[in-house]
Amino acid sequence: MKHFLYILLIVCGLVSCNKNKLTNPRYTGFPVEEALKAQVISLDTVLFRYPYRVMVKDSIAIVMDLHNADHFYHAFTYPKWEHITSFGKRGEAPEEMLSGETFHFYSLDSIWALDANKMEITRWSISPAHKSAERVETIKLDKALVRTLDFSPMDSCFLVPDYLGKYRYDVVSKEGKLIKSEGFIPTENNYEDISLPALAQAWRTFIDYNPQNGVLAMVTQLGEVLEIYNLKDGTHSVFYGPQGEPVFRIIEGDCIPTGIMGFSNVKVTDKYIYTVFHNRSFKDIGAAYKRGEKPESGGRFIYVFNLKGEPVKKYILDHAIQCIDVNEQTGTIIATDVNHDEPIIEFRI
């Protein structure tokens, strides 16, 4: 964590796909800015160690704990936040999980969870009446995908970021097999002496897909880049913010970020694209560690774009957050704040 190293996954061919220099559209600001004050949710925080993601569906909320010693996932009633059950037991047994990277919650019997260390996607079913969770199916991911850190389910397949650098995302069957790969890293620079996997690590993205409008949104963990693939009409758009693309250097095979920490989450709703943005320089983060301080974790901004990628609104927050879930019908954003003992908060928009 202190050195912010991105270890190369594999050594392969040099970058050659960016010789035709790109010029991507820029956005410089947002037409509307608004400050939001969080309401802290009271619940049993003894269950948590590092609650990172949260999703709400109807009367159920699920929180993913990134570093929990016992279970990665916790289900609660909503909006009362009464504990129902914990699932995704940590361990090396066949029915256990080595890691919890992310999850998607569509219904009580359709909760998809990614275990990057085991390279598995599992589907869970929750019974609030019986206060239990059942592991319904397990999908082993194709070894060609290397170590998958994010995914988004579709009706008949999964979308996952490509981590080898030749493409931008992969389409994977519900049996876990690689079907095809699409896109390219939209860098404006020519990297002739950097391996593709190193470039892919610098351009690591978080993704979300909305089946209603066919929009796949991708945001970079470093720098400030938004990509939009409309899978219904086949269009692809790229937008650079003021901080531009990821900035890094290669030292002894390691990719070292030297720019900013960018986005940490993206949500595509029926109308908009919501993102959590940090805008914290690694220089400042490193200086804080040298002073013996623990830097605040998370971003204090939520950027909102329309489905074409045009800036709509910038929310300025009174808490630093990692991930969000958005309900446009109720005007509610639920978020995780790992800096405080009460980590689940809510914003009204």
Side-chain angles (χ1 to χ4, degrees):
M1 181 67 182
K2 290 185 179 181
H3 301 290
F4 312 104
L5 299 182
Y6 286 78
I7 306 301
L8 295 182
L9 299 177
I10 186 175
V11 176
C12 71
L14 299 180
V15 174
S16 60
C17 60
N18 296 307
K19 290 184 178 179
N20 295 322
K21 189 173 182 179
L22 301 172
T23 302
N24 296 303
R26 258 67 175 170
Y27 63 86
T28 57
F30 291 80
V32 178
E33 294 188 6
E34 181 180 342
L36 292 182
K37 186 175 182 179
Q39 176 184 347
V40 176
I41 304 298
S42 297
L43 72 167
D44 186 1
T45 58
V46 175
L47 295 166
F48 300 139
R49 178 173 292 181
Y50 199 88
Y52 190 75
R53 297 186 185 275
V54 60
M55 291 187 186
V56 177
K57 185 70 175 178
D58 300 324
S59 61
I60 303 296
I62 298 177
V63 178
M64 188 191 86
D65 195 331
L66 199 62
H67 302 310
N68 196 278
D70 300 312
H71 296 87
F72 287 104
Y73 300 98
H74 308 279
F76 300 85
T77 62
Y78 181 81
K80 292 186 176 181
W81 291 94
E82 297 172 343
H83 183 245
I84 298 172
T85 187
S86 297
F87 61 101
K89 183 177 175 60
R90 179 188 287 272
E92 298 184 10
E95 295 297 308
E96 297 175 341
M97 300 181 68
L98 288 176
S99 68
E101 295 295 336
T102 189
F103 73 102
H104 292 271
F105 180 20
Y106 295 104
S107 64
L108 290 180
D109 64 351
S110 186
I111 302 154
W112 297 94
L114 172 63
D115 184 338
N117 288 348
K118 279 191 173 183
M119 285 292 287
E120 293 179 349
I121 295 176
T122 55
R123 182 167 69 88
W124 296 81
S125 176
I126 291 180
S127 172
H130 295 92
K131 294 185 178 295
S132 64
E134 177 187 2
R135 187 169 176 147
V136 179
E137 62 178 305
T138 300
I139 299 166
K140 286 281 189 181
L141 293 175
D142 198 315
K143 292 183 179 179
L145 298 172
V146 193
R147 188 172 185 267
T148 298
L149 300 173
D150 202 356
F151 79 112
S152 214
M154 298 179 72
D155 289 339
S156 59
C157 60
F158 300 106
L159 302 174
V160 304
D162 182 271
Y163 296 99
L164 293 179
K166 189 175 181 181
Y167 301 99
R168 204 66 183 112
Y169 70 90
D170 302 310
V171 180
V172 180
S173 73
K174 283 295 176 72
E175 290 73 41
K177 301 300 181 183
L178 176 62
I179 300 174
K180 63 178 180 177
S181 301
E182 301 284 351
F184 57 91
I185 295 175
T187 177
E188 295 181 344
N189 298 317
N190 291 327
Y191 292 105
E192 297 183 351
D193 298 318
I194 298 175
S195 70
L196 284 168
L199 188 63
Q201 285 298 299
W203 276 77
R204 180 191 170 184
T205 58
F206 300 99
I207 71 171
D208 193 41
Y209 172 73
N210 187 320
Q212 299 302 316
N213 49 41
V215 170
L216 168 66
M218 312 177 75
V219 292
T220 55
Q221 185 180 37
L222 307 178
E224 188 176 354
V225 183
L226 165 68
E227 297 173 67
I228 299 174
Y229 288 86
N230 189 313
L231 302 189
K232 287 190 175 182
D233 63 20
T235 57
H236 174 216
S237 304
V238 182
F239 303 91
Y240 274 37
Q243 298 294 339
E245 66 178 83
V247 179
F248 61 97
R249 55 182 174 170
I250 303 296
I251 299 178
E252 297 181 354
D254 294 329
C255 181
I256 312 298
T258 57
I260 67 153
M261 179 68 78
F263 298 97
S264 64
N265 197 211
V266 57
K267 291 291 179 182
V268 182
T269 66
D270 292 345
K271 297 180 179 179
Y272 298 107
I273 299 169
Y274 294 78
T275 66
V276 177
F277 189 61
H278 294 216
N279 200 22
R280 295 171 61 84
S281 75
F282 282 97
K283 180 179 179 180
D284 291 344
I285 295 172
Y289 276 116
K290 288 181 180 178
R291 293 193 301 268
E293 302 172 0
K294 183 180 180 181
E296 183 178 68
S297 181
R300 286 183 174 259
F301 306 99
I302 295 176
Y303 287 177
V304 185
F305 304 86
N306 64 23
L307 299 180
K308 295 181 179 180
E310 299 165 339
V312 174
K313 183 177 285 191
K314 174 182 179 180
Y315 290 114
I316 304 168
L317 314 177
D318 64 345
H319 284 240
I321 64 173
Q322 288 288 355
C323 296
I324 57 175
D325 196 28
V326 182
N327 189 322
E328 290 176 329
Q329 285 69 42
T330 62
T332 303
I333 296 178
I334 305 293
T336 53
D337 174 4
V338 300
N339 302 287
H340 296 91
D341 292 336
E342 295 181 298
I344 308 300
I345 57 179
E346 180 179 281
F347 299 99
R348 292 288 179 174
I349 56 175

